[in-house]
Amino acid sequence: MINGELLPIIRPSDDAGLVYVGGIEEDGMILEGSVNSPATGETYKIKNGYLDLLKARTGAHNVANLTNFLPGAGRAYEPLWRVRSLSLLTGEHFPIERELEIITGLVRPVSGGRYLDLGCSAGLYTRSLATEPVDAVGIDISPSMLKEAARRARDIGAKPSFIRASAMKLPFAGATFTGAVCGGSLNEFADPSLVLRETRRVLERGGRLAIMGILRTGTPRGRRLQRLLSTGGVRFLDPDELRSLLDHAGFEPDPLQRYGPIFFAGATRRA
Ligand SMILES: C[S@@+](CC[C@H](N)C(=O)[O-])C[C@H]1O[C@@H](n2cnc3c(N)ncnc32)[C@H](O)[C@@H]1O
């Protein structure tokens, strides 16, 4: 589903926004149907709960990206991994509620604002944002994840928008978001520095960014595991690299919050 008010700012290529062609609409949300780019003549479908801007392209750059396309990946992701991921990785009791409280505290949602979830998977952060009086938008490249994200949002009566698009080429006009969040995806993006530069472009001046991710570990066992995961395309940053990436992309980073190998980074878009 997609909020019809977003259409004028959605730019699949560097052209003007999209227009609604037809389908099923409810309270300003397009549940199913088609939209069109008057600039290119291209039509895009809204189906299975999301607007698909990638069509036949996968948007994937590595094996890690492709694992999110496996049948059942979306359904299994939150119950099998996500709800316990931070407890397993930090070795302390780290429920989802605590994580969401930290992310919300870092992004500081402003009533009436528009917020972007980068690499939203099954939509954990998008749903959390959608409980605030804001417009929440989740993007991901995986159809399986987006379908599940839309299903989970529907189940709680939340109305975020979901778009299949790459975070490395955000399909939005500049300075159109109040803030952005990113849970674990920075480790999976093929070019995290490009994603951060794109995020800066779409954020308004002073816009906030909140990221949760996994740092490069120092333990021999952790290093072996991270080396193995790196062969599939997952990358692990150290705190200095992360600060430098944020700085070069045009963000003023807050002090990093660390819980074992997990970090929470807040940052403000510089003018
Ligand atoms: C670690 S998961 C994200 C978890 C999710 N943010 C959460 O908090 O539950 C990484 C996600 O990033 C997505 N992804 C990878 N590369 C992407 C890209 N270039 N653009 C958008 N999404 C991408 C994957 O499909 C996957 O769903």
Side-chain angles (χ1 to χ4, degrees):
M1 108 181 102
I2 178 133
N3 184 342
E5 286 180 9
L6 279 179
L7 296 181
I9 65 152
I10 301 181
R11 309 281 154 91
S13 32
D14 303 321
D15 43 44
L18 300 177
V19 291
Y20 181 47
V21 176
I24 304 172
E25 248 192 309
E26 201 180 277
D27 298 333
M29 300 298 293
I30 308 168
L31 308 180
E32 233 185 86
S34 307
V35 292
N36 176 264
S37 162
T40 62
E42 194 144 3
T43 298
Y44 302 91
K45 295 257 178 260
I46 297 157
K47 209 177 136 192
N48 293 324
Y50 60 90
L51 165 64
D52 190 348
L53 297 180
L54 292 179
K55 297 186 167 180
R57 283 169 291 149
T58 64
H61 285 85
N62 53 45
V63 176
N65 290 169
L66 283 171
T67 59
N68 298 300
F69 285 66
L70 294 172
R75 279 269 171 170
Y77 182 67
E78 281 197 17
L80 290 190
W81 166 248
R82 195 60 177 85
V83 290
R84 69 202 69 180
S85 56
L86 292 209
S87 295
L88 288 169
L89 290 165
T90 61
E92 59 180 285
H93 182 57
F94 215 120
I96 286 289
E97 293 75 18
R98 182 176 172 199
E99 176 181 348
L100 294 176
E101 206 176 297
I102 297 174
I103 286 293
T104 307
L106 289 173
V107 75
R108 305 175 201 147
V110 175
S111 179
R114 185 183 289 137
Y115 289 83
L116 179 62
D117 184 1
L118 300 151
C120 63
S121 281
L124 180 68
Y125 287 4
T126 328
R127 284 198 307 283
S128 167
L129 282 168
T131 63
E132 309 276 342
V134 306
D135 198 4
V137 183
I139 66 148
D140 204 287
I141 53 173
S142 159
S144 168
M145 290 291 180
L146 287 165
K147 188 174 173 189
E148 178 67 4
R151 187 187 73 78
R152 285 176 173 267
R154 257 195 325 271
D155 280 359
I156 61 161
K159 291 185 172 169
S161 301
F162 289 106
I163 303 180
R164 183 163 174 259
S166 176
M168 298 198 291
K169 190 177 185 310
L170 289 172
F172 303 109
T176 45
F177 284 84
T178 322
V181 294
C182 180
S185 310
L186 203 68
N187 294 99
E188 277 194 33
F189 293 142
D191 188 342
S193 123
L194 178 56
V195 172
L196 292 177
R197 291 199 305 275
E198 274 290 272
T199 305
R200 182 195 181 273
R201 180 182 66 75
V202 302
L203 285 188
E204 294 162 357
R205 186 184 293 190
R208 290 285 297 169
L209 169 63
I211 310 173
M212 182 281 289
I214 308 173
L215 292 168
R216 188 172 297 139
T217 171
T219 67
R221 196 158 154 256
R223 268 208 303 271
R224 274 199 300 279
L225 180 63
Q226 291 196 344
R227 257 201 304 272
L228 181 70
L229 291 170
S230 300
T231 60
V234 184
R235 69 182 69 224
F236 302 93
L237 304 169
D238 64 37
D240 288 342
E241 267 177 290
L242 180 63
R243 249 189 303 275
S244 162
L245 280 181
L246 285 165
D247 181 36
H248 281 98
F251 287 95
E252 194 59 50
D254 304 349
L256 205 61
Q257 294 185 38
R258 293 178 66 168
Y259 302 85
I262 294 298
F263 73 83
F264 287 89
T268 303
R269 179 207 192 272
R270 279 200 295 264

